[in-house]
Amino acid sequence: MHNNKTRLPHLNSKLLLLIVLLLTIALYLPGLNGPFLLDDFTNTLQLRMAELNWQQLLPLSFSLENGPLLRPLANASFALNFIFFGEDPLSFKVTNLALHLFTGILLYLVGKNILHRCLQGRPGEKWASSIALVAASVWLLHPLHVSTVLYVVQRMAQLSTLFTLLAVLAYIYGRERISQEKRFAYTLILLGYFIFGLLGMFSKETTVLLPGYILLIEVFVFRFRTPATQAGVRDTRFLTTFGMITILPIALGLAVYILKNDTFLAGYIHRDFSLGERLLTESHVLWGYIKQYFSPQLSEMALHHDGYPVTSTFDTLTILAITGLLGLAITGLLLVRKEPVIALGIFWFLLSHALESTVFPLEIKFEHRNYTAMYGLLLAAIYGLYRFTASTSYALYAKGFLGMFMLLLSFQTFSRSSIWATEDTLFQFEAQFQPNSYRLINWEINAHLRNRNFAAAREKTAHLRNIHPWDAAAPLQDIIIDCVEISYSNNAKTITSTRYITESLTLINHARHLGFTPHSLTSLNRIANHCSNISNKELIALFNAVLANPRAIENPLLKQKFLVRLARVHNESGRAQVATSILKEAHRVRPDRLDVLLEKGYMEVSAGDLNSARETIEQLKTLNGALPFFRKYTSQIMKLESSINQEEITLKR
């Protein structure tokens, strides 16, 4: 009888967690049939595989440059989706939802163990599972995560969080075993740290924060207490292990950042904000995130935040925002001993944003950056609500409030999931509240073009000129509008794009400003691929202008893309020799990318220059031999060689 009573709360927590998981599935159902969006096309559709072939899967997983470590595990997961379920976005989104549910379970386990340890011997210890359950439930049901779960490419962020939590959980269990003097404690800690840490790093580089999370767990939860230290003896084994997995990697990371500071900050040359402006702006962004945690508004949630206003001065609101963040950190420090759960939650949030919301030249705002961060403040707030109402007459009101809050979250998540059901409903909704987002303006232009409403499309390019006056994107979009209008017009000869080409060249040649962003590259590629109203001569002039702008080609990969596109235009104009010469230059920009040489080889075959193609093959084989096994181009080289052999057979006939 005694066993049944003690097991009952535990069983209830499991049952309630199962109900929340099922509810989460139901809330996301409307959005699971939604389409691929934006970066999904460049980060997933290039990983198509018809059947499972391990020899092809490994190099394919390392084929996309999504980060310093290439994120091969996330890429492999996309490829496996294609292999087993085809190209329907449904399987990709279902996989993301499954990862979301699993992550919610891990957060429950992490929270429960933290609370049990922190509340050990206190009157509230029996409520540890309930607090952890509520915190995990709010996290699972929160509408802010819809854009992470239903935007397929954000699986990278999901996997990083999942493996980070697995490593943290392994550390917590290992530390408990150390406290209980059980075997294999250090084995569990080290295996969890290195295995899950490596898997996380191969999913997304934000896993680099893992040592920080373990440091927080030790400082706020275990407090460096081991059987040895409690006996008054220095625990050398523990301190050595702890230093190896936290202090050492943190110190190395800081050293690398200091030594490579110029490299890390070079990306600001492609941004329309400086390092200082980014830091000022992020103070507002972080408070905006916090507001969304506890007072979510669907009108303020978006896939597109590229129109977020940049802060350039220390105005009153900025000073208040920075002071508030400092106050939050000071509050955490003051509560270290008295309320470690609240302190841990505060620093969990701040640490989670230390990489993507500080000095690095990333876009200003993205919702997926809260996938790990949100849990810290949720745990702190829900624990705090319990802590200050449990022994008062307000306890029932607190429970009612949490119930209503979760009901509100569920309604908003279902509504947002429904909005994500189609591209049109999503972009139409967001366009109402994000008027300065280039991506949304671009979508609106394309929507108007589909409806042949060319005047409305030009109104959008006029707006684009106002908000991005030094970007060539607006006149390039006007060229595209001309292109589409010509295809439908009976008076095509009266439509000319000359003035827009001139405007584009003027902006691109204005070297003091960027003049050409990745948005412009998208437009220029579309013009090169589909527009007959612009000659190859004009295209070449545009590409040459880009390549002459030092700021536009600071990024080697971007420069290589421009050179490859320029080579294709020359090749289409019958200047194969010029084209292959440009591809040689493109290869020198990034020698590790052999696909440029492969394209050069195919151009030479097409031009009948088989001797040069043979020389290219030999160069490819030499360079391929020096690449690591997971970056080999062996199969692609064999295909090119086969094409050369086939062409030789054809010429002999």
Side-chain angles (χ1 to χ4, degrees):
M1 186 71 179
H2 174 72
N3 288 338
N4 288 338
K5 286 183 178 180
T6 56
R7 284 170 56 89
L8 188 58
H10 184 58
L11 290 173
N12 282 344
S13 293
K14 283 186 175 180
L15 179 60
L16 290 171
L17 180 59
L18 176 61
I19 292 171
V20 171
L21 293 171
L22 293 174
L23 174 60
T24 304
I25 294 172
L27 298 177
Y28 275 91
L29 283 176
L32 293 179
N33 286 309
F36 289 120
L37 298 163
L38 301 174
D39 290 348
D40 288 344
F41 294 100
T42 54
N43 288 282
T44 61
L45 295 181
Q46 293 187 44
L47 297 165
R48 294 185 186 92
M49 286 188 70
E51 58 184 23
L52 185 58
N53 183 325
W54 294 108
Q55 290 183 329
Q56 292 182 9
L57 180 62
L58 192 60
L60 189 65
S61 300
F62 284 89
S63 63
L64 300 183
E65 298 197 6
N66 292 315
L69 298 180
L70 308 181
R71 306 179 186 179
L73 187 62
N75 292 339
S77 75
F78 295 137
L80 291 172
N81 267 115
F82 282 117
I83 292 168
F84 293 111
F85 304 105
E87 297 189 15
D88 190 340
L90 175 64
S91 75
F92 291 82
K93 294 175 188 279
V94 168
T95 303
N96 281 19
L97 179 56
L99 291 172
H100 185 61
L101 300 177
F102 187 26
T103 303
I105 295 171
L106 292 177
L107 286 171
Y108 166 69
L109 294 174
V110 168
K112 185 178 74 168
N113 281 277
I114 288 171
L115 289 161
H116 272 301
R117 184 76 183 187
C118 290
L119 299 178
Q120 198 169 28
R122 298 186 184 185
E125 183 180 2
K126 64 180 180 179
W127 295 107
S129 293
S130 299
I131 297 170
L133 174 64
V134 174
S137 299
V138 171
W139 184 90
L140 279 164
L141 299 172
H142 206 288
L144 194 65
H145 296 319
V146 168
S147 59
T148 304
V149 177
L150 296 182
Y151 189 18
V152 172
V153 75
Q154 293 307 343
R155 184 181 302 175
M156 298 173 183
Q158 289 186 288
L159 287 170
S160 174
T161 297
L162 186 146
F163 289 121
T164 297
L165 292 174
L166 284 170
V168 167
L169 202 56
Y171 182 80
I172 291 172
Y173 288 149
R175 277 297 277 117
E176 290 289 358
R177 295 183 73 85
I178 291 174
S179 299
Q180 298 163 12
E181 298 185 88
K182 291 183 177 181
R183 298 173 62 193
F184 306 118
Y186 289 97
T187 302
L188 179 59
I189 288 173
L190 292 174
L191 285 178
Y193 179 84
F194 287 108
I195 292 174
F196 295 128
L198 189 62
L199 292 173
M201 288 295 289
F202 281 159
S203 300
K204 190 176 182 181
E205 294 75 16
T206 46
T207 311
V208 76
L209 295 174
L210 173 59
Y213 292 116
I214 291 177
L215 178 63
L216 293 181
I217 295 294
E218 187 58 48
V219 169
F220 295 111
V221 181
F222 293 99
R223 304 187 179 214
F224 299 96
R225 294 171 184 162
T226 68
T229 59
Q230 289 177 320
V233 179
R234 180 182 175 86
D235 195 334
T236 305
R237 185 182 183 188
F238 169 72
L239 291 175
T240 301
T241 303
F242 180 77
M244 181 178 67
I245 64 175
T246 58
I247 306 303
L248 181 61
I250 291 172
L252 286 174
L254 290 173
V256 169
Y257 177 76
I258 292 169
L259 293 173
K260 298 287 187 179
N261 183 265
D262 291 343
T263 302
F264 287 121
L265 301 183
Y268 278 104
I269 202 165
H270 303 291
R271 299 295 182 190
D272 54 2
F273 49 82
S274 65
L275 170 60
E277 288 173 329
R278 187 175 200 277
L279 291 174
L280 294 176
T281 307
E282 287 297 337
S283 67
H284 296 276
V285 171
L286 289 176
W287 282 111
Y289 290 150
I290 294 172
K291 175 179 177 291
Q292 287 291 66
Y293 297 172
F294 302 107
S295 180
Q297 302 289 327
L298 293 189
S299 60
E300 296 176 9
M301 297 181 192
L303 174 62
H304 311 85
H305 287 287
D306 53 308
Y308 193 88
V310 173
T311 301
S312 302
T313 60
F314 279 97
D315 55 29
T316 303
L317 285 178
T318 303
I319 293 171
L320 288 174
I322 294 171
T323 304
L325 290 173
L326 290 173
L328 193 63
I330 292 169
T331 301
L333 291 173
L334 294 175
L335 294 175
V336 168
R337 292 191 175 279
K338 190 175 181 181
E339 297 295 349
V341 176
I342 296 176
L344 172 64
I346 290 172
F347 283 104
W348 182 286
F349 166 78
L350 294 174
L351 173 64
S352 299
H353 281 292
L355 200 65
E356 295 182 298
S357 300
T358 53
V359 297
F360 293 98
L362 306 171
E363 289 195 36
I364 293 290
K365 185 178 181 181
F366 270 118
E367 291 176 0
H368 70 265
R369 293 173 186 168
N370 298 281
Y371 202 63
T372 309
M374 179 190 290
Y375 183 74
L377 290 187
L378 290 181
L379 182 65
I382 292 165
Y383 166 78
L385 187 64
Y386 152 77
R387 174 73 174 78
F388 299 108
T389 63
S391 58
T392 70
S393 58
Y394 295 104
L396 187 61
Y397 294 107
K399 292 178 182 178
F401 169 77
L402 287 172
M404 292 298 293
F405 185 56
M406 284 192 279
L407 189 63
L408 171 66
L409 294 178
S410 300
F411 173 76
Q412 289 184 316
T413 297
F414 183 80
S415 298
R416 197 174 184 207
S417 176
S418 301
I419 291 169
W420 276 68
T422 70
E423 183 179 324
D424 285 349
T425 55
L426 171 63
F427 285 15
Q428 285 171 3
F429 178 82
E430 293 196 359
Q432 301 174 64
F433 307 105
Q434 306 289 331
N436 293 333
S437 164
Y438 172 83
R439 295 185 181 98
L440 283 170
I441 293 171
N442 184 57
W443 177 84
E444 289 181 287
I445 290 171
N446 289 331
H448 289 313
L449 291 181
R450 286 194 296 271
N451 295 323
R452 304 188 190 183
N453 191 343
F454 304 112
R458 294 196 193 284
E459 288 179 9
K460 291 298 175 183
T461 60
H463 179 52
L464 198 57
R465 278 182 177 82
N466 290 332
I467 60 175
H468 296 294
W470 292 109
D471 192 344
L476 290 172
Q477 284 282 15
D478 276 315
I479 295 171
I480 292 172
I481 294 171
D482 284 348
C483 171
V484 177
E485 189 172 3
I486 285 171
S487 67
Y488 291 118
S489 175
N490 294 324
N491 300 308
K493 292 182 180 179
T494 64
I495 301 174
T496 176
S497 300
T498 303
R499 62 191 175 102
Y500 299 129
I501 294 168
T502 302
E503 182 184 354
S504 299
L505 288 170
T506 301
L507 289 171
I508 296 168
N509 285 323
H510 203 294
R512 289 191 301 108
H513 298 272
L514 177 56
F516 209 92
T517 62
H519 302 314
S520 307
L521 174 61
T522 303
S523 298
L524 189 50
N525 276 335
R526 185 174 175 184
I527 292 167
N529 287 329
H530 303 294
C531 287
S532 59
N533 56 309
I534 178 170
S535 67
N536 281 344
K537 181 180 178 181
E538 290 168 322
L539 266 178
I540 291 169
L542 285 171
F543 279 111
N544 283 334
V546 172
L547 291 165
N549 186 330
R551 298 195 68 188
I553 58 171
E554 184 73 20
N555 183 323
L557 184 58
L558 197 59
K559 179 179 180 180
Q560 188 181 66
K561 288 181 177 179
F562 285 131
L563 286 168
V564 169
R565 173 53 70 184
L566 177 61
R568 289 172 184 169
V569 176
H570 277 291
N571 191 52
E572 290 165 6
S573 302
R575 292 185 288 274
Q577 193 170 358
V578 175
T580 54
S581 177
I582 293 172
L583 287 178
K584 285 181 183 179
E585 182 185 352
H587 171 67
R588 286 193 292 270
V589 173
R590 283 290 305 271
D592 59 316
R593 290 179 59 86
L594 302 190
D595 48 328
V596 176
L597 283 182
L598 285 165
E599 181 159 355
K600 174 176 173 286
Y602 281 111
M603 277 190 186
E604 289 163 341
V605 172
S606 179
D609 188 359
L610 299 186
N611 290 332
S612 296
R614 287 287 183 193
E615 290 175 5
T616 302
I617 282 286
E618 293 307 312
Q619 185 183 4
L620 280 164
K621 288 179 178 179
T622 301
L623 294 170
N624 190 55
L627 291 176
F629 71 95
F630 52 80
R631 294 291 305 275
K632 297 292 188 185
Y633 287 77
T634 307
S635 60
Q636 295 97 315
I637 294 171
M638 289 175 63
K639 287 180 181 178
L640 174 58
E641 195 164 22
S642 176
S643 297
I644 296 172
N645 293 335
Q646 186 63 43
E647 186 67 19
E648 285 180 337
I649 292 170
T650 303
L651 291 174
K652 288 177 181 178
R653 288 176 180 171

